[in-house]
């Protein structure tokens, strides 16, 4: 079970890192032009960057606390916060009719719930 949690946390951290880098360092206009980036057209640049920073923090919070054995309770807390972020993403993409992205976000939500549940049960 421990190996499955590490693999899942690593995959989800990679997703969060990629999303965080993209939202933090790519201009909002360029994101809006990409497939699935329509939501950025109605969001401020600060909001998009804030989401990017949250995703970068999630990438760190899913791995480092357990790896360094410093406040490992932060891993399930981060995973629970990620589930809330994914609910928001699912609602946003659903309103835009982007149902493939809703499904992708729901997979990320399930992975985060697995991480949170696995760490809290241990």
């Amino acid at each position: 079970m421990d190996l499955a949690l590490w693999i899942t946390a690593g995959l989800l951290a990679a997703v969060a890192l990629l999303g965080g880098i993209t939202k933090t360092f790519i201009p909002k206009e360029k994101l809006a032009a990409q497939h699935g980036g329509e939501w950025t057209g109605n969001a401020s640049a600060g909001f998009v960057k804030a989401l990017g920073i949250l995703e970068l923090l999630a990438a760190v919070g899913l791995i480092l606390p357990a790896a360094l054995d410093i406040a490992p309770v932060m891993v399930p807390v981060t995973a629970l916060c990620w589930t809330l972020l994914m609910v928001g993403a699912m609602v946003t993409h659903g309103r835009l009719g982007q149902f493939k992205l809703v499904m992708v976000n729901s997979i990320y939500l399930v992975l985060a719930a697995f991480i949170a549940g696995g760490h809290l049960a241990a």
Side-chain angles (χ1 to χ4, degrees):
M1 178 72 161
D2 194 43
L3 180 62
L5 287 171
W6 273 109
I7 291 171
T8 306
L11 290 172
L12 201 57
V15 167
L17 183 64
L18 180 63
I21 289 171
T22 303
K23 289 178 186 76
T24 304
F25 299 110
I26 295 179
K28 179 186 120 162
E29 295 75 24
K30 190 171 181 181
L31 285 175
Q34 295 176 351
H35 174 69
E38 292 87 9
W39 67 270
T40 57
N42 296 328
S44 70
F47 179 74
V48 175
K49 287 198 185 299
L51 284 178
I53 291 168
L54 286 175
E55 290 182 1
L56 291 173
L57 290 172
V60 170
L62 287 168
I63 300 295
L64 282 184
L68 300 176
D69 199 28
I70 298 173
V73 72
M74 289 308 296
V75 174
V77 170
T78 301
L80 289 172
C81 291
W82 182 264
T83 61
L84 295 175
L85 188 65
M86 289 301 102
V87 168
M90 291 166 63
V91 168
T92 300
H93 290 301
R95 287 182 178 169
L96 294 171
Q98 300 169 331
F99 298 109
K100 287 182 183 178
L101 292 175
V102 171
M103 290 305 298
V104 170
N105 292 135
S106 67
I107 292 169
Y108 296 154
L109 185 143
V110 168
L111 293 175
F114 171 72
I115 294 167
H119 279 279
L120 291 174

